Amino acid sequence: LVPGGVIRGLIRDDGGRPADKISVWALRIAYRDGRKTLENVKSVQSDDRGEFRLVSLPPGEYYVGASGTVDGNPIFAYYPGGSNVESAALVRVRAGDEIFADMPIPPAKLFRISGTVVNAIPELATEAQGFVLMPRDRKLDDGSATILPNLAFGKGSGYFEIRALPGVYVLIPAARATGAGNFYYYTARVPVEVRDRDVDDITVAITRGAELTVQVNARAAPSVSLPDLRLGLRPVDEFPSPLRINLGARPVSPDGRVQFGVVPEGKYALVIPVTTPNVYISDIRQSLRSVYDQGVITVGKETAEPVEVILSANGGRVEGTVEATDKTSGPVRVSLIPEGSRRDNLLLYRRASLVQGRFVLTDIPPGNYKLFAWEDLPVGADENSEFMSAYETRGRAVTVRGGVAV
């Protein structure tokens, strides 16, 4: 067994005093839907001396984050002492290492964001009781976007007040639906920039959102049982996880329709949780125009043009072997990644593990690809352009044709 490492240190507030009961995390880089994110590997609380120990850490690189309350004020910090992940430093842990990572809590001044939320659909939704601040243009999603309470709840119809650190955000009020069986959130978006003062008098209107209809065309794949298919949506724009309940996968009706009743304004991609053998998506059309290359569906504030998803049979096939080097010790996987503008469409990616040294990839849409072999690939990393930039020259170009094995 490989011995784990330890990250230990001392948390101090901005007055230099030890800070107890502060949550501390060891976070490592992960990948989801092509984005770089952070995942929690281990968490502890600082003791009454402000000390913490994160133990049994697998070898790797970690960000160390801390959050809690000091003198009644919320704090959020990253080692070596910044307030956001962009200013953080990675801590490299090797087997058996004990790394010291003392962390001063930076002085934090929170500013007020306030205004009025206009509920344009009182028959469908309550007044907004929670708010999400999504940092804009961030390169790394640290999961810090959570639903914040309205600090002015009850002070007046629609009036809201939240607190935030300086930054550039998208403010998203969230109103729960009313009525039995209605589990949606109704939302809106407004850009907010917090610098060195409060931001007041914001007005934002919550509307119903758009109904999006997806029609599945399986004429070219007659063996498909449409009711066995499920389709969902994922945001291409950043969208807070708590509000994704509106987008979950749902079954296709016998006549090939999928209805998404409340979809907030934005850009989305299709999600197919379980693939169907011998079938692939050959086109995605919206407003009679193919959006297949990027796979992006556009939804307006209150309307969305219908989407047609075209299924086909007899996709391409790629099979082969991978020659292992003397240093290869773990399982080997291969991934087939689309070339050019189609790289943004995650439905086109194919992956397989080796079986007795061989791999087989099936149901591949025709087109140009690159084939890669990996011994230790983080899950989803091959969908991230920054990660792949270091490996582009190592891929093998492959052209796939329908019904043809390569």
Side-chain angles (χ1 to χ4, degrees):
L1 293 175
V2 177
V6 176
I7 300 176
R8 59 178 297 189
L10 175 65
I11 306 288
R12 293 185 182 273
D13 64 19
D14 59 350
R17 297 164 298 184
D20 65 344
K21 297 181 181 178
I22 300 296
S23 296
V24 185
W25 301 285
L27 305 160
R28 66 183 172 194
I29 293 174
Y31 298 89
R32 183 177 65 247
D33 298 333
R35 294 193 183 106
K36 186 188 288 188
T37 66
L38 292 180
E39 67 176 6
N40 181 24
V41 177
K42 184 82 68 173
S43 62
V44 295
Q45 275 201 331
S46 62
D47 61 21
D48 56 1
R49 295 171 295 182
E51 296 178 353
F52 69 90
R53 284 176 57 89
L54 294 156
V55 301
S56 303
L57 295 173
E61 293 184 323
Y62 297 89
Y63 289 105
V64 181
S67 72
T69 302
V70 175
D71 295 332
N73 296 312
I75 61 96
F76 202 90
Y78 286 94
Y79 174 80
S83 59
N84 57 63
V85 71
E86 282 75 17
S87 62
L90 282 166
V91 177
R92 183 185 295 274
V93 176
R94 292 171 293 192
D97 274 354
E98 184 160 338
I99 307 296
F100 289 86
D102 291 348
M103 194 186 317
I105 300 296
K109 182 171 177 56
L110 300 178
F111 294 94
R112 181 181 65 239
I113 300 174
S114 66
T116 302
V117 177
V118 178
N119 183 3
I121 48 170
E123 72 283 4
L124 294 175
T126 63
E127 287 191 12
Q129 298 181 9
F131 296 80
V132 177
L133 277 177
M134 292 288 296
R136 290 165 55 190
D137 304 324
R138 58 182 176 179
K139 296 181 180 179
L140 180 57
D141 179 3
D142 64 356
S144 60
T146 58
I147 296 183
L148 304 173
N150 181 5
L151 300 178
F153 186 72
K155 289 187 178 180
S157 179
Y159 179 72
F160 74 91
E161 184 178 313
I162 59 176
R163 295 286 192 271
L165 292 166
V168 181
Y169 304 96
V170 174
L171 174 65
I172 305 176
R176 290 301 302 260
T178 59
N182 190 350
F183 303 107
Y184 294 121
Y185 278 101
Y186 295 92
T187 66
R189 291 172 177 252
V190 61
V192 175
E193 183 171 359
V194 181
R195 292 188 177 179
D196 56 357
R197 64 194 65 186
D198 297 334
V199 180
D200 297 318
D201 300 323
I202 292 173
T203 300
V204 56
I206 288 181
T207 60
R208 190 190 188 288
E211 290 189 1
L212 176 66
T213 300
V214 178
Q215 180 69 50
V216 178
N217 181 340
R219 287 192 291 272
S223 64
V224 172
S225 171
L226 291 176
D228 292 335
L229 296 178
R230 294 176 65 84
L231 294 181
L233 298 173
R234 69 170 174 85
V236 175
D237 305 323
E238 288 189 294
F239 196 71
S241 296
L243 305 184
R244 294 191 182 198
I245 189 172
N246 301 23
L247 313 175
R250 55 209 65 191
V252 179
S253 68
D255 63 356
R257 292 169 65 88
V258 182
Q259 193 75 35
F260 295 89
V262 179
V263 182
E265 179 184 12
K267 297 183 181 300
Y268 298 89
L270 286 174
V271 175
I272 303 177
V274 180
T275 57
T276 301
N278 305 316
V279 174
Y280 68 94
I281 294 178
S282 58
D283 202 3
I284 303 171
R285 305 183 68 82
Q286 187 175 31
S287 301
L288 304 179
R289 178 178 62 88
S290 177
V291 296
Y292 187 65
D293 283 359
Q294 286 77 36
V296 174
I297 296 166
T298 302
V299 174
K301 280 188 177 181
E302 297 184 358
T303 61
E305 295 295 329
V307 172
E308 182 183 22
V309 176
I310 300 174
L311 304 182
S312 295
N314 299 318
R317 178 185 177 98
V318 175
E319 55 186 289
T321 60
V322 175
E323 294 182 4
T325 67
D326 293 338
K327 296 181 180 180
T328 301
S329 59
V332 175
R333 294 177 59 83
V334 296
S335 54
L336 189 69
I337 299 176
E339 284 278 67
S341 61
R342 301 202 313 166
R343 188 159 288 194
D344 291 334
N345 186 349
L346 303 186
L347 294 173
L348 303 180
Y349 287 60
R350 297 292 186 272
R351 300 174 183 85
S353 299
L354 295 189
V355 178
Q356 297 182 340
R358 294 189 60 82
F359 67 88
V360 179
L361 300 162
T362 61
D363 305 325
I364 306 168
N368 295 321
Y369 296 82
K370 273 190 176 180
L371 183 66
F372 296 85
W374 314 91
E375 183 183 3
D376 187 18
L377 176 71
V379 174
D382 52 354
E383 299 173 349
N384 179 267
S385 58
E386 180 184 352
F387 177 90
M388 288 302 301
S389 63
Y391 301 96
E392 284 295 339
T393 59
R394 304 185 190 183
R396 178 173 176 177
V398 176
T399 298
V400 176
R401 296 178 175 86
V404 177
V406 178

